[in-house]
């Protein structure tokens, strides 16, 4: 039974969002179809939804993919002929990604043993509960800022194993990989970028499974209107996945500051609310400064001279009172530069 236009739209929306957010895409698709009174979606519908998510993953990770490709291409050039330094960080990212994909590939090979679980709601409920536990565990571990340069192969395999758990209907591949990465001390934004890269390859695996299923059972009756509906599903899935990526990156963003304090009387210091804004209304170059550092004076003078000679609109605001320091839109009060309203 095919979905109607509204159901196709909702199917694409839920597929795109749940494939990125730390909730199970497969479980939510199954539950949504049951709400529609449909036992299962067509293989072609799933294929188009996965194609949409894959397109969003590639679009979101394209800069990182290009960096890795350039680094690998440069690594093949003899050292004496290189015109720029080798990007070892991107090479190590690629090595970590390859390690992460090993458990993912093994997980796909076990996919046929997981299929029966999708037919039983009790198993989906249990696995959704397991997913919540996996997401909660990192709260008990200290955070850190490790990346591919400091992770071992075993840790890379563990992060990949977290992603491989996504084959279970109820467990999120991105969420599980992020949880394991956090336990291993990986910095949140970096961990998210690597999880999204891994998820792009997971989508490739899902597309392959969809194609194999299509070859096995056939595409069924296909008309022009049905094809358009599938394309709409893919487009909505693409847009929803992009929205999910943006939301996840917003949640994973780290402003680079943390407050460390030892209290002797039970009171705890805290950042002023303004310090977390890191935005101002003026769009011109704006510098907040004070004279805690002896080099600030000459830096301000040089920058003022440059801006005057080149016609660059700029404001230089000295932080010379406690009240001004408390009202700053950032935590760094002796040299804070804003441009286009951003810190």
């Amino acid at each position: 039974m095919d979905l109607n236009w509204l159901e196709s739209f909702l199917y694409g929306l839920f597929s795109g969002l749940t494939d990125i957010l730390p909730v199970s895409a497969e479980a939510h698709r199954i539950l949504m179809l049951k709400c529609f009174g449909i036992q299962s979606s067509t293989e072609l519908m799933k294929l188009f939804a996965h194609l949409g998510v894959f397109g969003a993953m590639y679009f979101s990770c394209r800069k990182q993919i290009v960096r890795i490709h350039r680094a690998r291409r440069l690594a093949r050039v003899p050292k004496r002929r290189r015109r720029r330094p080798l990007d070892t960080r991107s090479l190590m990212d690629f090595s970590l990604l390859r390690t992460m994909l090993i458990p993912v590939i093994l997980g796909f090979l076990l996919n046929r043993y997981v299929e029966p679980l999708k037919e039983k709601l009790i198993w989906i409920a249990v696995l959704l509960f397991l997913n919540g536990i996996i997401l909660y565990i990192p709260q008990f571990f200290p955070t850190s800022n490790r990346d591919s340069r400091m992770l071992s192969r075993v840790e890379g395999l563990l992060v990949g194993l977290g992603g491989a758990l996504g084959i279970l209907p109820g467990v999120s591949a991105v969420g599980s990989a992020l949880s394991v990465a956090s336990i291993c001390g990986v910095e949140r934004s970096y961990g998210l970028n690597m999880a999204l890269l891994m998820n792009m390859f997971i989508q490739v695996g899902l597309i392959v499974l969809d194609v194999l299923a299509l070859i096995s059972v056939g595409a069924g009756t296909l008309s022009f209107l049905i094809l358009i509906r599938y394309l709409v599903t893919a487009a909505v899935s693409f847009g929803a996945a992009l929205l999910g990526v943006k939301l996840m990156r917003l949640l994973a963003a780290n402003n680079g500051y943390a407050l460390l304090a030892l209290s002797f009387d039970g009171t705890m210091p805290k950042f002023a609310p303004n310090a977390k804004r890191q935005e101002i209304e003026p769009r011109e170059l704006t510098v907040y400064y004070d004279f805690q550092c002896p080099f600030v004076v000459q830096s301000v003078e040089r920058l003022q001279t440059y801006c005057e000679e080149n016609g660059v609109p700029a404001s230089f605001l000295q932080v010379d009172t406690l009240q001004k320091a408390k009202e700053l839109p950032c935590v760094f009060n002796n040299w804070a530069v804003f441009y286009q309203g951003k810190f």
Side-chain angles (χ1 to χ4, degrees):
M1 180 178 177
D2 282 322
L3 305 179
N4 60 35
W5 285 98
L6 177 59
E7 291 169 344
S8 298
F9 178 88
L10 291 175
Y11 186 89
L13 180 65
F14 274 83
S15 293
L17 283 174
T18 55
D19 262 314
I20 307 302
L21 299 180
V23 293
S24 170
E26 188 63 28
H28 283 79
R29 278 193 286 260
I30 293 171
L31 295 175
M32 181 177 58
L33 290 172
K34 288 188 179 295
C35 291
F36 293 158
I38 301 172
Q39 289 302 314
S40 64
S41 61
T42 65
E43 300 300 333
L44 197 57
M45 176 70 82
K46 288 199 290 187
L47 173 62
F48 274 85
H50 288 144
L51 284 171
V53 176
F54 169 76
M57 290 295 91
Y58 181 80
F59 184 81
S60 301
C61 301
R62 65 191 187 283
K63 292 182 180 179
Q64 193 172 3
I65 294 171
V66 169
R67 284 198 300 269
I68 290 175
H69 175 69
R70 287 176 177 173
R72 295 190 66 221
R73 188 171 60 183
L74 184 61
R76 291 192 288 267
V77 177
K79 189 174 182 179
R80 287 180 292 182
R81 295 176 55 189
R82 294 174 190 162
R83 297 184 179 180
R84 62 177 185 272
L86 188 62
D87 184 1
T88 54
R89 165 72 178 271
S90 292
L91 290 175
M92 297 184 78
D93 286 350
F94 178 70
S95 178
L96 175 63
L97 179 63
R98 284 192 307 182
T99 303
M100 290 167 58
L101 289 177
I102 293 173
V104 171
I105 295 171
L106 294 176
F108 274 112
L109 295 177
L110 298 174
N111 181 68
R112 61 176 178 170
Y113 300 107
V114 176
E115 286 296 322
L117 299 179
K118 299 178 182 179
E119 301 172 3
K120 299 179 180 179
L121 287 179
I122 184 63
W123 275 112
I124 294 177
V126 169
L127 291 170
L128 283 170
F129 183 72
L130 175 63
N131 186 64
I133 294 175
I134 293 172
L135 296 178
Y136 188 68
I137 289 176
Q139 305 294 324
F140 300 99
F141 289 82
T143 58
S144 186
N145 61 346
R146 303 175 72 198
D147 56 32
S148 58
R149 295 168 293 184
M150 293 174 278
L151 290 173
S152 67
R153 287 189 178 274
V154 173
E155 289 169 321
L157 288 171
L158 289 174
V159 175
L161 181 61
L165 290 177
I167 68 168
L168 298 173
V171 180
S172 164
V174 173
S176 297
L178 273 175
S179 290
V180 177
S182 181
I183 292 171
C184 293
V186 177
E187 193 270 327
R188 286 183 302 178
S189 294
Y190 177 80
L192 176 61
N193 288 334
M194 294 305 295
L196 291 176
L197 265 179
M198 180 192 66
N199 194 35
M200 185 180 74
F201 287 95
I202 289 176
Q203 296 305 315
V204 172
L206 292 173
I207 290 169
V208 171
L209 291 179
D210 293 338
V211 171
L212 292 176
L214 276 173
I215 294 173
S216 175
V217 302
T221 304
L222 187 63
S223 66
F224 179 74
L225 282 178
I226 292 177
L227 181 60
I228 294 298
R229 201 154 63 226
Y230 287 168
L231 290 173
V232 169
T233 299
V236 174
S237 182
F238 175 85
L242 285 182
L243 179 62
V245 170
K246 187 172 183 179
L247 180 59
M248 288 293 288
R249 283 179 171 165
L250 182 64
L251 293 173
N254 187 353
N255 60 23
Y257 295 100
L259 184 60
L260 179 66
L262 175 64
S263 176
F264 294 98
D265 58 2
T267 60
M268 296 297 294
K270 60 182 179 181
F271 289 127
N274 288 336
K276 300 179 181 180
R277 279 172 35 210
Q278 301 197 99
E279 291 183 351
I280 59 175
E281 289 295 329
R283 309 291 291 174
E284 65 183 15
L285 179 67
T286 303
V287 180
Y288 295 92
Y289 70 95
D290 65 22
F291 298 125
Q292 292 181 26
C293 172
F295 293 100
V296 168
V297 179
Q298 54 184 294
S299 297
V300 170
E301 291 175 352
R302 291 174 60 189
L303 193 53
Q304 283 178 323
T305 301
Y306 181 88
C307 290
E308 290 170 0
E309 291 177 350
N310 293 275
V312 178
S315 297
F316 296 85
L317 307 175
Q318 184 178 354
V319 184
D320 53 6
T321 67
L322 176 61
Q323 189 60 32
K324 287 182 180 179
K326 287 184 175 181
E327 294 173 352
L328 281 174
C330 62
V331 301
F332 203 48
N333 66 326
N334 66 334
W335 185 263
V337 180
F338 287 78
Y339 185 64
Q340 299 292 326
K342 301 289 185 180
F343 178 55

